[in-house]
Amino acid sequence: MRPKERRDSGQNDLFRARLDQIVDLDHALAKLGRAIDWRFLEQRFGAVYTDKVGHPPLPTRLMAGLSILKHMHNLSDEDLCARWVENPYYQLFCGEEFFRHKLTFDRSSLTRWRQRMGEERLTALVQESLSVAVRTGAAKPTDFSKVIVDTTVQPKAVAFPTDARLMHRARERLVKLARKTGVELRQSYARVGKHALIAHQRYAHAKQFKRANRALRTIRTYLGRVIRDIGRKIRDEAELESAFAHPLMLARRVREQRQHQRGRKVYSLHAPEVECIGKGKAHRPYEFGVKVSLAATLHRSQGGQFIAHVKALPGNPYDGHTLAAVIPEIETQVGANLARIVADRGYRGHNAPPEHKFKVYISGQRRRVTKTIKRELRRRPAVEPVIGHVKAEHRMGRNYLAGTHGDAANAVLAAAGYNFRRLLEWLALLVSIILATLTAPDDQKSHPTAA
């Protein structure tokens, strides 16, 4: 069933005041709500619904507005629900006509809506943010013809992985599941396993690595015994085998992997899709998450520097090999052909499409570089503060959404939140300029200048 979209009825209530009568309509958030084309978002997001009979979903403006507010102000789902109830501007932004004293949605509604939309449709929020920037004068269409492309790591909400802790956690998860399903084990190793983990950590901290490795072998032995014991107990039990299939697979991978093993490893049991990525940072040699490609405008617009495209790249691909997929998506999203793409030296040997091969310029390049291009190449580091703001203020610095689809959705929503935050500041600046202009004559009258 399709959602019942909200429209301004213009009706009054005898016992309640309309939100547009009790708030300042010149507030930046109120002006942003009027500038967004909600019909466009309803059309894009409404494609996932059918006309079948069922419980009607929540309105698109409510859910899209909540997602924008969440990543624009760096809020968790719980904090967003608490603020929505007490903030009339949040409710007006989400399409409410009258002030609500109770939530009209559930906290889990945000999770279900994100999973239903997916990365492909959530990109409409980034696309609409760029359209609003053009309509409000914060950017010009020509600003999106030249972009800076760079990659960063979106860390996952996981602890720093060590072999000892991973094997200890794998054994604990198997024992917990065995108790839940009624499988009786010969021994759980709960007490001695904890002591072995503590011993390993203490020996490693004291740099007594022979003793630490001995404790690590003990932890591995305990895990292997639990795996074999469960395998014997659930043999020929189809229901139990299906329940233990995924935990046993992860436990075997954790037990068999070694420290210097090449290829994919398990770094987290609750997020096995996490990858180890090294970006050459001295303060953080390795990060655990997913690589993300980000494209920002080359020159700063009047409203700031906007993000034109963002995409999660699972598999830790080489930076230069991402342009074949990224460049066509950027052009589709901004609705214009790219005239110039600036990148760092990590994009050498790129595989850009043939028609864009000579539009990509790498830092330090000497051939085909004019004075104008040389000046624009010096703008390449301007993408770094954009990445820093997206990570620190818009929830890309630590991703709490589950699975690979959560990685992709969080990156897109973080970019949308960043763009709308720039628009919010731009509209607030316009309001302050208008107010200063209107009050200037009164100030001059009250404080006349000496002749």
Side-chain angles (χ1 to χ4, degrees):
M1 191 172 182
R2 294 183 179 276
K4 185 179 180 181
E5 304 297 356
R6 292 180 173 174
R7 299 289 183 263
D8 189 359
S9 62
Q11 297 179 355
N12 294 320
D13 193 307
L14 181 61
F15 303 102
R16 295 185 299 173
R18 290 176 57 87
L19 283 173
D20 54 11
Q21 296 175 353
I22 63 176
V23 302
D24 181 13
L25 295 180
D26 288 332
H27 189 275
L29 194 58
K31 296 184 70 174
L32 180 61
R34 295 195 300 270
I36 295 175
D37 185 1
W38 298 105
R39 299 291 182 96
F40 167 74
L41 297 179
E42 291 170 3
Q43 181 182 2
R44 290 291 299 271
F45 295 143
V48 303
Y49 301 107
T50 61
D51 294 324
K52 295 181 180 179
V53 179
H55 183 73
L58 293 169
T60 299
R61 176 166 181 175
L62 172 64
M63 303 311 299
L66 289 171
S67 299
I68 293 172
L69 291 171
K70 172 184 171 68
H71 287 266
M72 186 164 58
H73 296 295
N74 192 11
L75 302 174
S76 64
D77 290 347
E78 294 84 354
D79 292 339
L80 178 64
C81 294
R83 288 199 186 186
W84 191 89
V85 172
E86 63 186 19
N87 195 325
Y89 289 99
Y90 278 25
Q91 297 187 18
L92 180 67
F93 183 78
C94 294
E96 296 288 345
E97 291 187 81
F98 302 95
F99 186 78
R100 298 274 188 173
H101 296 275
K102 294 183 179 179
L103 287 174
T104 59
F105 56 94
D106 190 63
R107 185 192 68 183
S108 59
S109 301
L110 293 164
T111 301
R112 291 193 295 270
W113 188 80
R114 284 191 299 260
Q115 292 175 349
R116 173 173 284 185
M117 293 303 147
E119 177 192 13
E120 182 180 356
R121 290 181 177 84
L122 288 175
T123 53
L125 294 175
V126 181
Q127 191 172 357
E128 179 59 20
S129 68
L130 302 180
S131 300
V132 175
V134 174
R135 290 197 296 268
T136 58
K140 296 180 291 185
T142 55
D143 293 339
F144 304 105
S145 61
K146 299 178 181 180
V147 297
I148 310 170
V149 180
D150 198 4
T151 60
T152 185
V153 179
Q154 178 179 249
K156 199 81 167 184
V158 298
F160 188 87
T162 61
D163 292 340
R165 174 161 285 277
L166 281 173
M167 286 188 283
H168 178 74
R169 288 293 299 148
R171 182 192 54 77
E172 285 185 335
R173 287 164 65 97
L174 289 176
V175 171
K176 183 178 179 180
L177 183 58
R179 289 175 179 171
K180 184 179 180 180
T181 55
V183 177
E184 293 187 4
L185 301 178
R186 293 175 55 199
Q187 188 175 349
S188 66
Y189 301 97
R191 184 178 61 86
V192 294
K194 181 179 179 180
H195 290 172
L197 177 63
I198 294 173
H200 174 271
Q201 292 172 338
R202 288 178 175 175
Y203 288 140
H205 179 71
K207 294 184 171 54
Q208 299 179 14
F209 296 114
K210 287 187 177 180
R211 293 177 177 176
N213 291 333
R214 192 182 309 124
L216 182 63
R217 289 195 296 270
T218 302
I219 298 173
R220 182 178 285 112
T221 300
Y222 293 158
L223 176 59
R225 289 177 183 175
V226 172
I227 291 174
R228 292 190 295 272
D229 192 13
I230 291 176
R232 288 191 298 266
K233 298 293 177 58
I234 68 173
R235 190 172 299 160
D236 300 330
E237 297 284 345
E239 186 176 353
L240 291 176
E241 286 181 350
S242 62
F244 278 92
H246 186 66
L248 281 176
M249 181 270 295
L250 287 178
R252 291 191 180 101
R253 286 183 59 186
V254 167
R255 183 177 179 273
E256 293 168 3
Q257 67 188 13
R258 294 296 184 268
Q259 182 178 2
H260 301 290
Q261 168 184 321
R262 296 184 63 86
R264 290 296 302 273
K265 294 178 65 176
V266 177
Y267 297 101
S268 174
L269 294 172
H270 74 273
E273 72 277 0
V274 166
E275 301 161 354
C276 179
I277 302 172
K279 297 288 287 183
K281 301 177 183 177
H283 66 287
R284 196 173 298 166
Y286 301 102
E287 295 177 281
F288 300 93
V290 65
K291 183 177 283 189
V292 173
S293 173
L294 188 143
T297 53
L298 179 63
H299 297 289
R300 189 182 187 279
S301 308
Q302 287 188 338
Q305 201 168 1
F306 291 93
I307 296 177
H309 177 265
V310 68
K311 184 180 180 62
L313 304 169
N316 191 14
Y318 171 63
D319 289 359
H321 294 166
T322 63
L323 292 182
V326 167
I327 290 178
E329 292 186 9
I330 298 175
E331 292 187 332
T332 302
Q333 197 151 308
V334 302
N337 294 326
L338 293 178
R340 193 159 299 147
I341 303 106
V342 177
D344 60 15
R345 297 189 180 186
Y347 285 82
R348 287 177 296 185
H350 59 79
N351 62 346
E355 62 273 16
H356 295 87
K357 185 175 181 181
F358 296 104
K359 297 180 181 178
V360 179
Y361 290 87
I362 311 298
S363 296
Q365 183 173 332
R366 294 293 182 266
R367 295 182 179 180
R368 302 183 294 107
V369 175
T370 62
K371 291 184 177 179
T372 303
I373 297 174
K374 187 177 181 180
R375 186 166 57 250
E376 291 178 346
L377 281 174
R378 289 198 292 268
R379 286 280 306 166
R380 194 221 62 84
V383 73
E384 303 298 342
V386 174
I387 295 174
H389 284 295
V390 174
K391 284 190 170 186
E393 302 166 9
H394 303 284
R395 302 187 71 79
M396 192 187 281
R398 193 166 180 86
N399 177 25
Y400 294 91
L401 305 185
T404 54
H405 58 277
D407 295 335
N410 189 74
V412 174
L413 290 171
Y418 171 87
N419 285 348
F420 281 112
R421 184 64 176 271
R422 302 280 77 74
L423 292 171
L424 197 66
E425 295 178 356
W426 167 251
L427 294 173
L429 178 63
L430 288 182
V431 171
S432 63
I433 292 175
I434 293 173
L435 291 176
T437 305
L438 293 176
T439 57
D442 296 335
D443 294 342
Q444 292 177 2
K445 291 179 182 178
S446 58
H447 301 287
T449 57

